[in-house]
Amino acid sequence: MPIHIDEAKCIGCMKCVDNCPIDLFMPSAQKGAKPIVAYPEECWYCGVCAMECPKDAIRLQHPLMNRPKWVAKTSLHEE
Ligand code: SF4
Ligand code: SF4
C-alpha cells in the first residue's frame, strides 16, 4: 500500500481526494472519516496528496526499488 493515512490526524477534509491527479481516492460515506484508497496500484508517487493535506496525515511509502541508498561521503574515499 503506497498511501498511509493516519486516522488520528485526518479530519476528512477530502483535499487529497480533490487534488489527486488520477482520482485514486474515494470519499468515505461517513462524514469526517478518512478517504478510501481505492486504487493503490495506480499511484504515481507524485506527493500532491501529502502536500495538500492540512494535517500532515498522509505518508507515502515508495517501492524499495525507488528508494535511494545513501552512502556517507567519507566512506567513498576509504581504501
Ligand atoms: S501520490 Fe499522487 S498519485 Fe499517489 S495518491 Fe497521492 S496525489 Fe494521487
Ligand atoms: S487531506 Fe489529509 S486530512 Fe484531508 S481527508 Fe485527506 S488525509 Fe484526511
Side-chain angles (χ1 to χ4, degrees), residues 5 9-17 33-35 49 52-58:
I5 301 177
K9 290 182 179 175
C10 178
I11 55 171
C13 69
M14 300 300 139
K15 279 195 172 183
C16 52
V17 178
K34 71 174 188 175
C49 55
E52 291 292 330
C53 178
K55 293 293 176 183
D56 198 23
I58 299 180

Side-chain angles (χ1 to χ4, degrees), residues 32-57:
K34 71 174 188 175
I36 298 156
V37 181
Y39 311 104
E41 67 283 353
E42 303 291 333
C43 182
W44 293 349
Y45 301 96
C46 67
V48 168
C49 55
M51 285 189 282
E52 291 292 330
C53 178
K55 293 293 176 183
D56 198 23

